[in-house]
Amino acid sequence: MKNSHPLEHVRNIGIAAHIDAGKTTLTERILFYTGALYKIGEVHDGDAHMDYMAEEQNHGITITSALTKAQWQDHLIQIIDTPGHVDFTIEVERSMRVLDGCVIVLDGVRGVEPQTETVWRQRSKFNLPALFFINKIDRAGADFDHVMTTIGKRLGAKPLPVTVPLVEKNAVIHLIDRCLIQFDGEHGEQVTREPCEPALWEQFADYRESLLLGIAECDEAFADQVLAGEEPEPEKIWSALRTATLKGDVCPCFGGSALRNLGVQPLIDGVIKLLPSPLERPASSAFLPDGSITPIAMVNNQPLVALAFKVQMWEGRRHVFARIYRGQLKPGDTVRFSKPDGKVITEHVARIFDVDAAKKSRLDLASAGDIVLLAGLRHASTGDTLCHPDHPVLLERIDTREPVLSLAVEPASSSQEEKFLEVMEKLQEEDPTLLFGSDPDTGQNLLRGMGELHLQIIIERLEREYNLEVRTGKPAVALRETITQAAEATLLFQPPVELSRKEQLKAQVTVAVAPLARGTGITTSLVPQLLPEGSQLTPQQQAALDQGVKFALGGGPLEGAPLQDLSVTIRQVELFGPLSTVEALTSATARALRKALESASPALLQPIMKAEVVVPEENLGAVLGDLQSRHALIQDTERTIESATIHCEVALASLLGYTTELRSMTQGRGQFSTLFERFDIF
């Protein structure tokens, strides 16, 4: 579908949520009602339009973000359906980076869940205006008011109701238009609007009042009208609500059930009326080669600026998803981009595609505001800024996260070793949170990822997509190391002449280390007292000290794991004239720092997960006992009539294989989700 719409009629939105909240089901309905699909696909049947990967269909979850488009009321909606599982959070992060607004889907029973909080933080990072769709409102235990409360309590947002579900009538009450909207037909495609009867409206008057007062807190003129007892016209309410939404002051909420075809069309109206066009978003900022910052206006008549936000192997060939922020792009154009190491690369864009989930169609031109697929770029990767060769700029890169779980993996046959290494390189290009390399101690090939499911999906893809049979070991948790007390060490480096290339080397360095708070990282400082007094370090000698620190921090003293949360201070450097070469200073610093680390009571840090476990009420005692045996720190337990939700912190190592055990304890009815919290001593 070629984007022929003016930018003010374009909405680039993402649909995001906790796993199993109904994102993909909602997207399917949006596509059906807008005419982009003629048939609704269901996730539970494995035929959802947006879940096109075999692994997505087999597991019944979204694994990779998928792009599609739909038209509604002379507007074009470009939609990215994102995964809900924490293992694939990079897909949400890089999607949020290129969107203008989002719809966050909540389970009508559970409300805000752990991954919802992660999604909200990612949304907040890019200041995206957001709507909430409170889904599954037809389920037993669903509570629209409770979910609104959790939005305010756990996300710190200000939810305002717009449509309130009336499940018994298969309808919603529209609080702005003051009407009853019913959904009939096989798939809820027949929408009937009628004025709300006074007796029925009286039941929802409090919702209307909370909506108006919520808007009034953000708009003085609107507040004067409401407080004067006047009844605002719907157009004024929409306008004031839109302004508050775009500022991020409020989040409009729509209730319904995507699976039961209830309340989706009013949400689509809300996307058009309340979320911004690309022109209404603050201009992106980019760095010029001299380090200055320049705004990037979303226009077609200036040099190209685009962001590559995802790499995907499509039909065995490398493709790059990109968002055009300025200018236009045609097949055959040359683009320039800089890698994180400063290397500049120039390549030609061979083809440009419009994308609809698993389908692509060629385009002759991509313009500002478009999200497109590019072929022919062999070296562009996630976060690279594609720009005109004569007008280099650099947009902010996309953050990635460090893997927390590793798996020993090797091809079943030595004859497939070369192909195996080639495929692993391709998969790492697709997924920045996936790392592959050999363990320096054991020589094993280790595949590192964000969790058990993440690694499982990769192994399945190796076998299905690339016909590679592999052998795997047991998952191992990625550890970190730190220190628990301050220490200082002095080391005189003076190796025998025969070990120092027939020249005498000599240098003495004193290094102090101290622990820092969790999540602080590593700080280094150079405040040396130089001996002999009055001498000064040359730039080469300072670089040698820095290099020595870098060498020593390459791995901790316990298991060689990466170090974090400590400070390093070089307190004293003793020079011995020409004997204190760069090599001597580097070695003395590295050894002094290693000695200080060994004396500072080093400790292992494990990934600590924030977990939420939902179980039937009758199984609560057994599950709590099991979690306590895993040394989980129970923070809260919420109970409803039928189920209980346990909030806790627990080491990732204690949760390996937990899914199977939880199902066994709860006869298959329990489920849990985790979110990486921090590395800590456990």
Side-chain angles (χ1 to χ4, degrees):
M1 184 189 302
K2 177 68 179 72
N3 178 11
S4 58
H5 296 74
L7 278 181
E8 57 267 24
H9 284 191
V10 174
R11 301 290 184 269
N12 293 316
I13 69 166
I15 299 183
H18 186 91
I19 189 171
D20 199 34
K23 300 176 307 304
T24 302
T25 302
L26 175 62
T27 306
E28 293 290 315
R29 266 61 184 180
I30 292 175
L31 294 177
F32 178 75
Y33 296 139
T34 57
L37 284 182
Y38 69 90
K39 174 182 176 294
I40 294 178
E42 302 292 4
V43 174
H44 53 264
D45 292 332
D47 61 357
H49 178 70
M50 303 302 287
D51 287 347
Y52 57 85
M53 289 177 60
E55 288 75 23
E56 293 178 317
Q57 295 165 1
N58 292 339
H59 290 270
I61 61 171
T62 301
I63 292 169
T64 182
S65 55
L67 173 66
T68 190
K69 299 186 181 184
Q71 296 193 63
W72 186 257
Q73 298 176 355
D74 297 324
H75 286 68
L76 176 72
I77 307 175
Q78 299 188 113
I79 303 170
I80 296 183
D81 178 32
T82 64
H85 198 285
V86 66
D87 286 11
F88 310 105
T89 190
I90 183 60
E91 294 285 342
V92 184
E93 181 83 15
R94 55 189 179 186
S95 296
M96 292 285 189
R97 175 68 175 79
V98 299
L99 294 170
D100 300 321
C102 63
V103 175
I104 297 180
V105 186
L106 300 177
D107 187 306
V109 178
R110 297 178 188 145
V112 174
E113 300 177 86
Q115 186 63 6
T116 316
E117 297 181 43
T118 301
V119 167
W120 185 255
R121 284 195 293 269
Q122 292 169 316
R123 177 222 67 88
S124 301
K125 181 178 180 180
F126 302 113
N127 296 315
L128 295 185
L131 310 182
F132 283 99
F133 183 68
I134 301 176
N135 193 27
K136 302 187 179 182
I137 210 68
D138 58 313
R139 292 179 56 196
D143 188 332
F144 186 83
D145 294 337
H146 170 71
V147 176
M148 294 264 290
T149 300
T150 66
I151 292 173
K153 181 180 177 182
R154 297 183 63 174
L155 302 182
K158 185 176 181 180
L160 295 182
V162 176
T163 63
V164 183
L166 198 61
V167 178
E168 60 271 20
K169 291 182 176 288
N170 200 43
V172 298
I173 301 295
H174 203 297
L175 302 175
I176 297 179
D177 297 336
R178 297 188 64 149
C179 65
L180 175 72
I181 306 177
Q182 289 185 291
F183 307 90
D184 300 310
E186 183 180 357
H187 300 295
E189 69 277 13
Q190 298 175 13
V191 180
T192 305
R193 292 172 176 261
E194 58 186 45
C196 198
E197 297 177 359
L200 181 61
W201 178 252
E202 188 65 27
Q203 301 175 30
F204 295 88
D206 289 345
Y207 288 107
R208 165 88 170 188
E209 183 178 1
S210 66
L211 169 64
L212 297 182
L213 292 178
I215 300 173
E217 291 180 9
C218 310
D219 188 319
E220 288 188 12
F222 190 85
D224 292 340
Q225 184 177 1
V226 171
L227 295 177
E230 300 176 18
E231 188 64 33
E233 293 295 323
E235 293 76 14
K236 287 188 177 181
I237 301 176
W238 279 114
S239 177
L241 181 58
R242 185 172 208 270
T243 300
T245 302
L246 296 190
K247 289 181 180 178
D249 294 337
V250 301
C251 294
C253 297
F254 297 77
S257 171
L259 187 62
R260 303 302 173 207
N261 310 307
L262 170 63
V264 177
Q265 292 92 327
L267 173 68
I268 308 175
D269 291 336
V271 168
I272 300 300
K273 293 183 177 182
L274 300 174
L275 292 183
S277 72
L279 296 175
E280 293 172 301
R281 291 286 292 152
S284 297
S285 297
F287 293 95
L288 295 172
D290 63 3
S292 61
I293 299 176
T294 182
I296 302 298
M298 192 159 288
V299 295
N300 291 329
N301 59 357
Q302 292 187 22
L304 174 74
V305 178
L307 182 72
F309 68 92
K310 180 177 177 178
V311 175
Q312 183 167 332
M313 297 301 162
W314 203 310
E315 297 170 350
R317 296 178 180 174
R318 193 178 194 274
H319 292 73
V320 176
F321 281 94
R323 165 80 188 267
I324 311 293
Y325 283 93
R326 189 180 73 188
Q328 294 182 319
L329 184 65
K330 300 186 297 295
D333 282 356
T334 301
V335 296
R336 174 193 193 273
F337 51 92
S338 300
K339 307 304 288 185
D341 60 6
K343 183 179 180 181
V344 176
I345 298 175
T346 302
E347 291 189 305
H348 297 285
V349 175
R351 289 173 298 281
I352 304 174
F353 297 99
D354 196 31
V355 178
D356 176 17
K359 301 176 183 177
K360 59 182 182 179
S361 54
R362 288 200 181 193
L363 292 177
D364 297 325
L365 180 69
S367 303
D370 286 350
I371 299 175
V372 293
L373 186 69
L374 308 178
L377 301 179
R378 297 173 53 199
H379 302 289
S381 56
T382 298
D384 287 343
T385 302
L386 312 178
C387 54
H388 190 284
D390 299 331
H391 300 273
V393 296
L394 189 64
L395 295 167
E396 181 185 356
R397 298 194 69 86
I398 297 173
D399 293 335
T400 59
R401 303 188 182 191
E402 289 292 322
V404 296
L405 203 66
S406 64
L407 189 70
V409 58
E410 62 180 17
S413 169
S414 59
S415 62
Q416 292 187 308
E417 181 75 26
E418 185 175 342
K419 180 181 178 181
F420 173 73
L421 296 175
E422 179 184 334
V423 169
M424 292 312 304
E425 184 176 349
K426 290 181 178 179
L427 292 175
Q428 289 179 92
E429 290 179 0
E430 282 189 347
D431 187 348
T433 62
L434 186 71
L435 295 179
F436 176 77
S438 60
D439 186 313
D441 296 325
T442 65
Q444 285 183 308
N445 289 324
L446 292 182
L447 183 63
R448 297 177 174 89
M450 300 303 295
E452 286 184 279
L453 181 60
H454 188 197
L455 297 177
Q456 179 185 347
I457 295 298
I458 294 299
I459 298 302
E460 291 179 12
R461 289 187 62 194
L462 287 174
E463 296 175 351
R464 179 185 62 84
E465 289 185 34
Y466 301 100
N467 296 316
L468 273 171
E469 292 187 17
V470 295
R471 292 192 294 263
T472 60
K474 292 183 178 180
V477 172
L479 301 175
R480 299 289 186 270
E481 292 188 33
T482 192
I483 56 175
T484 58
Q485 65 182 43
E488 185 175 297
T490 300
L491 187 129
L492 174 64
F493 179 72
Q494 189 177 14
V497 174
E498 60 271 16
L499 298 180
S500 57
R501 300 178 304 179
K502 299 182 179 179
E503 63 179 356
Q504 183 64 55
L505 300 178
K506 191 174 183 181
Q508 182 169 293
V509 176
T510 300
V511 178
V513 294
L516 296 177
R518 293 291 166 262
T520 307
I522 296 178
T523 64
T524 61
S525 58
L526 174 61
V527 287
Q529 174 186 346
L530 292 172
L531 298 175
E533 294 183 6
S535 59
Q536 290 186 340
L537 290 174
T538 66
Q540 292 78 11
Q541 290 171 330
Q542 289 182 349
L545 296 178
D546 291 339
Q547 189 66 28
V549 171
K550 183 178 179 181
F551 284 158
L553 293 177
L558 297 177
E559 295 191 8
L563 284 154
Q564 67 177 49
D565 304 336
L566 59 95
S567 66
V568 178
T569 305
I570 301 177
R571 293 201 179 280
Q572 190 177 78
V573 178
E574 185 170 0
L575 303 175
F576 298 89
L579 303 183
S580 297
T581 64
V582 167
E583 179 183 354
L585 282 172
T586 299
S587 297
T589 304
R591 297 185 185 196
L593 179 50
R594 296 293 295 180
K595 185 177 178 182
L597 291 171
E598 289 168 359
S599 357
S601 297
L604 287 175
L605 299 176
Q606 296 199 43
I608 305 300
M609 313 302 288
K610 184 178 181 181
E612 182 177 278
V613 187
V614 182
V615 298
E617 174 69 26
E618 62 266 26
N619 301 125
L620 177 60
V623 173
L624 277 173
D626 179 74
L627 285 171
Q628 288 167 347
S629 72
R630 299 171 188 269
H631 306 288
L633 176 62
I634 309 298
Q635 298 175 319
D636 187 27
T637 302
E638 300 175 359
R639 299 189 181 191
T640 63
I641 297 175
E642 296 182 348
S643 66
T645 302
I646 305 165
H647 301 276
C648 63
E649 286 187 354
V650 60
L652 176 60
S654 300
L655 291 177
L656 297 181
Y658 183 63
T659 301
T660 302
E661 296 188 33
L662 179 63
R663 287 173 180 166
S664 175
M665 284 187 288
T666 61
Q667 294 77 48
R669 293 182 291 168
Q671 54 183 298
F672 85 106
S673 57
T674 59
L675 175 65
F676 173 72
E677 185 73 11
R678 66 188 182 280
F679 280 97
D680 211 338
I681 298 171
F682 190 76

